[in-house]
Structures are given as C-alpha cells and as structure tokens.
Amino acid sequence: MEQTIYRGLEGVHIDTTTISRIDGQRGELIYRGYDIRELADKASFEEVAYLLWHDDLPDRAQLDAFHAELAPNFTVPEPVFEAFRSMPAATHPMHAIRTAVSLLGALDPEAEGVDDANVHRIGLKLLAQFATFTAAYARIRDGKDVIAPDPELSVAANFLYMLNGEPPTPAATRVMDVALVLHAEHGSNASAFVGRATASTLTDVYSAITAAVAALKGPLHGGANIGVMQALEEIGSVEAVDGYVVDTLARPNGRVMGFGHRVYKVVDPRALILKDVAKHLAEESGDSKWFEMSLEMERVMDREMAKRGKQVKPNVDFFSASVYRMLGLPRDMYTPIFAVSRISGWMAHLYEQYANNRIMRPRLTYDGPLGRTFRPIEQR
Ligand code: SDX
C-alpha cells in the first residue's frame, strides 16, 4: 500500500496540547489562551514562565513564591565554569550551553527521576540557571570574571546584570523581558519536538533539554538570529541590501535568514512586536542603521517574493537581531539568549510529555533494493 510521506513532518499533529496555539493563516499566537501581543505588552518573563507551567497567570503571592523558588537556583556549580574555561575562546556558545546542561545532569544526584515532582525540581533549576551560565560563558570566553547572580533581580534583569557587570536600566530590562516573553514558547517547533521525542523514551530531563539545545543551534531554527546579524554586517549599508537579497535568492535553495516559517503564512506576530521595539530603540539610541537595513530587507523580500507569487515574511529571528544589537549584546550570544527564554517552553512540553507519555517512533518507507543474495567477499 502506497504510504503518504510527510517530509519535515509538515502538517503532522503528534498530540494535543494546552500550552500554546499558533494560527498560521491569521498570524496569531496564544499562550494558554492569552494573546502574545498582550503578554508582550503587559507581562514579565517570570509571569509568562509561570503561565506556561501552570493553568493561568500568577497572582502577586504566587509570582513572589515562584521568584523565591527560582532565586536560590540562580547559582551554577563551579565545574560548569571550569568546563567553560577549558574551551577554546572561539567555541560556538551553543556548544558551551549544551555542555553546561549535560554537565548539570552529571552533577545532579537526583537527575534520573521523571516523576512530576522531580521534573518540576529540575525545571526550576534549569530555568534559573540558563541565564547564569549563558552570561557566564560570554564573560569567561572574553577573559572576564563571572558575576554572581543577584537573587533580588528577575531573570531578565539578572541576565543583563551578570552579562554586563552593572545593574541594567529599567528600559533595558523591559526590552529583555519582552524579548524573553516572545521567545518562550512556540508549539512543536524543531527543538521542542526533539525534547518531547527524547523525553518520550523516559530518559531524564537533562538529556531531553540537551537534545533540545542541540536542535535550537541550527541556522534554520534558533541559529537564524545570528545569521540575520551576520548578513546585515556583511551587507554593511542600506544601499547594498537590494543586491544581497537578489543574489541570495538567485542561488539554488538560497535562503534569506529571518524570513519564512513552516506554520506562519503571513508575518509572525512576534516579528511585528520586535519590529516596533527595534524602531523605538533606533529612535532612542540614534543608531538606526540596523533597523533601516532591516526595513529595506523586508521591502526587497516583499518585492522579490511577489514576483515569485510567494509570501515569505519576517519571523521572530529577523528583528530580534537588530534589537539585540542595539542592546549591545554579542552577536554569537543571540541564540543562547533564545535558549534562556525557550527553556520555559521546553519544560512545559516535558511536563506534558511525561504526564501522558507514548514513545515516539515514526516510520520510513523503504525504497531500496530487495532480494539480494549474499556473496563471499572474494566474489564481490
Ligand atoms: C524559528 O517552527 C518554529 O516555530 C520555529 C520558531 C520558534 O519560535 O521555535 O518560530 C523559531 O526557528 C524561526 C525560523 C528561523 N529560520 C530562518 O529564518 C531560516 C530561513 N528560513 C527558511 O529556511 C524556512 O523558511 C524555514 C526553515 C523557517 C521553514 O522551512 P520550510 O517550512 O521547510 O519552508 P521551505 O524551505 O520549504 O520554503 C517554502 C518556500 C520555498 O519555495 P520553493 O523552493 O518551494 O519554491 O518558501 C521559500 C522557499 O524558496 N522560502 C524562502 C525562505 N523561506 C522560505 N526563500 C528565501 N528565503 C527564505 N528565508
């Protein structure tokens, strides 16, 4: 019987979920019923992480208790920083982040249990620790001292504080909160799917999150935000954007980073929010080069895709690149920052998977040779 093949698992629904819903036709995203535009505008990342892990947004007492659970877990064991110091300075930060998760698993004497209580215990640790070891890696590879987390600060503020060595301004903290809210969760994207598929074997949380981090690194997924800034820096000016896009699209399978999406067939709602953030940062900083270049790239892509009868619009990675650049964040840390946020969504998916598990095991349709007779090596 002829099997239908769904390459890239396009359109395949693997389970039900109550975490988030993407409407690709209307360009809408909700986390547990709340519109992403309202969450980005009004919620902190810690409120959204709580929402993703529970049934609703926290009240003041629940949020304070959540932060009180996170705060002692901000600290990271010294062997993680020793491992970072053993890496060449040119190590891709996502190799460092992935290694940190693996090592934390090796150092946790209770890593193995996948009961709800242990999964939540580890989830809290990782949500708190991702910001700490990500900031620490950026400083260690630059030969700087590690800055210890401030338990009074939120995840967003602490990340900027541990990265830069000084308390962030309220404005920078707000931008970081918005970025972390927008990157927190997005259904069964490649890294969340890999995390769920790994957890479906009932292996431990650290192993599943290590797999998710490995998947996020790829340039077609979380690595695209670095690719966007690499392209903008390579192009160098607004005037050169047109030629870059035309040349890129002329190449076989040429892809302009930060554009297109498997699910969104119109512009990604997160890109629209980040576009507005980038616009405000450009106006406030006076450094509008990257934003102007991004607008030009969007215009040329629209023109070129219209010629091809296609809709290929900016995704979350496109304007996040210029936002992070204007926040002064190092380019190769953009994807690790994506992970600092997405650990919240990944853990929400692991809670769901472990709670109602069935091992994931899709098929491949064999179309190779049949009926061959074995021949001794002398006769081959
Ligand atoms: C993220 O899944 C998620 O939710 C991910 C994410 C999340 O929050 O977790 O949203 C985060 O990963 C966003 C995506 C970041 N990646 C990029 O920006 C890399 C560039 N984008 C493309 O490689 C691509 O659009 C993907 C990977 C995002 C989607 O791949 P698909 O669904 O397999 O689409 P495709 O490559 O088959 O393209 C469909 C058509 C093609 O035309 P044809 O060859 O069929 O004629 O659209 C065109 C492509 O040519 N196209 C592009 C393009 N993306 C799609 N053309 C030029 N540049 C692009 N970026």
Side-chain angles (χ1 to χ4, degrees):
M1 182 184 77
E2 192 64 24
Q3 290 294 334
T4 304
I5 307 283
Y6 298 93
R7 298 211 66 241
L9 297 181
E10 178 148 18
V12 173
H13 290 242
I14 58 172
D15 212 327
T16 61
T17 181
T18 59
I19 305 170
S20 68
R21 191 192 71 195
I22 304 167
D23 183 327
Q25 303 307 322
R26 297 155 64 108
E28 291 180 356
L29 169 62
I30 60 171
Y31 294 170
R32 295 205 191 278
Y34 293 95
D35 189 294
I36 192 64
R37 288 165 295 194
E38 203 163 18
L39 292 172
D41 186 34
K42 298 172 184 168
S44 68
F45 173 60
E46 288 186 16
E47 282 180 280
V48 165
Y50 183 97
L51 170 67
L52 293 173
W53 294 7
H54 300 82
D55 295 335
D56 206 339
L57 285 164
D59 61 24
R60 169 54 60 194
Q62 289 165 329
L63 184 59
D64 292 347
F66 189 56
H67 183 79
E69 286 184 298
L70 286 173
N73 288 298
F74 280 139
T75 53
V76 167
E78 186 59 30
V80 172
F81 303 149
E82 286 161 16
F84 288 168
R85 292 186 188 100
S86 72
M87 295 174 187
T91 300
H92 190 300
M94 288 302 281
H95 285 305
I97 302 309
R98 190 192 65 241
T99 304
V101 177
S102 263
L103 184 51
L104 287 168
L107 298 172
D108 183 345
E110 296 163 61
E112 295 313 309
V114 293
D115 57 280
D116 195 56
N118 200 43
V119 175
H120 272 82
R121 177 188 68 85
I122 299 171
L124 271 171
K125 288 169 72 75
L126 289 175
L127 176 62
Q129 291 171 328
F130 258 75
T132 306
F133 62 62
T134 298
Y137 179 71
R139 293 183 67 85
I140 286 171
R141 62 98 184 266
D142 287 349
K144 296 176 184 170
D145 292 338
V146 172
I147 304 282
D150 177 344
E152 298 305 312
L153 294 180
S154 67
V155 171
N158 238 329
F159 175 70
L160 293 174
Y161 165 63
M162 293 184 285
L163 185 68
N164 300 320
E166 58 191 27
T169 63
T173 301
R174 186 64 205 137
V175 170
M176 198 73 233
D177 255 320
V178 171
L180 295 178
V181 165
L182 292 173
H183 285 82
E185 156 61 13
H186 212 240
S188 61
N189 56 84
S191 54
F193 170 72
V194 162
R196 289 191 78 134
T198 305
S200 78
T201 69
L202 295 188
T203 190
D204 67 287
V205 172
Y206 293 99
S207 297
I209 297 298
T210 299
V213 172
L216 186 73
K217 176 175 178 284
L220 295 187
H221 186 17
N225 53 22
I226 294 174
V228 171
M229 189 41 73
Q230 277 172 329
L232 292 176
E233 289 174 357
E234 177 193 322
I235 294 166
S237 69
V238 172
E239 295 69 30
V241 168
D242 198 320
Y244 171 88
V245 172
V246 170
D247 291 349
T248 301
L249 298 180
R251 287 202 305 268
N253 286 319
R255 292 287 185 277
V256 176
M257 291 294 108
F259 286 84
H261 200 277
R262 173 61 60 78
V263 181
Y264 289 119
K265 298 311 165 197
V266 293
V267 66
D268 182 332
R270 303 167 297 174
L272 288 176
I273 297 166
L274 287 163
K275 181 176 182 177
D276 198 40
V277 172
K279 180 173 185 289
H280 281 90
L281 284 176
E283 287 164 357
E284 282 160 20
S285 67
D287 172 16
S288 62
K289 171 178 180 178
W290 309 109
F291 181 62
E292 296 299 332
M293 289 178 71
S294 300
L295 291 181
E296 174 68 358
M297 190 173 271
E298 190 181 14
R299 185 188 69 80
V300 176
M301 275 294 280
D302 271 349
R303 182 195 74 205
E304 289 303 308
M305 286 300 147
K307 287 179 189 172
R308 295 161 170 83
K310 291 176 195 171
Q311 278 256 67
V312 179
K313 296 291 189 181
N315 58 51
V316 69
D317 290 303
F318 185 57
F319 287 103
S320 61
S322 41
V323 167
Y324 291 158
R325 173 66 186 241
M326 287 187 279
L327 276 184
L329 299 169
R331 187 180 76 195
D332 63 356
M333 296 306 293
Y334 294 1
T335 308
I337 293 165
F338 196 141
V340 168
S341 170
R342 189 53 61 90
I343 178 64
S344 61
W346 289 333
M347 285 309 308
H349 283 283
L350 295 195
Y351 299 143
E352 257 189 5
Q353 188 68 38
Y354 285 125
N356 182 21
N357 184 53
R358 182 147 195 252
I359 191 167
M360 293 197 200
R361 203 278 185 221
R363 301 288 303 276
L364 287 165
T365 299
Y366 179 77
D367 67 358
L370 295 170
R372 293 172 123 174
T373 304
F374 184 85
R375 289 167 292 129
I377 193 161
E378 298 76 19
Q379 296 174 26
R380 290 177 208 154

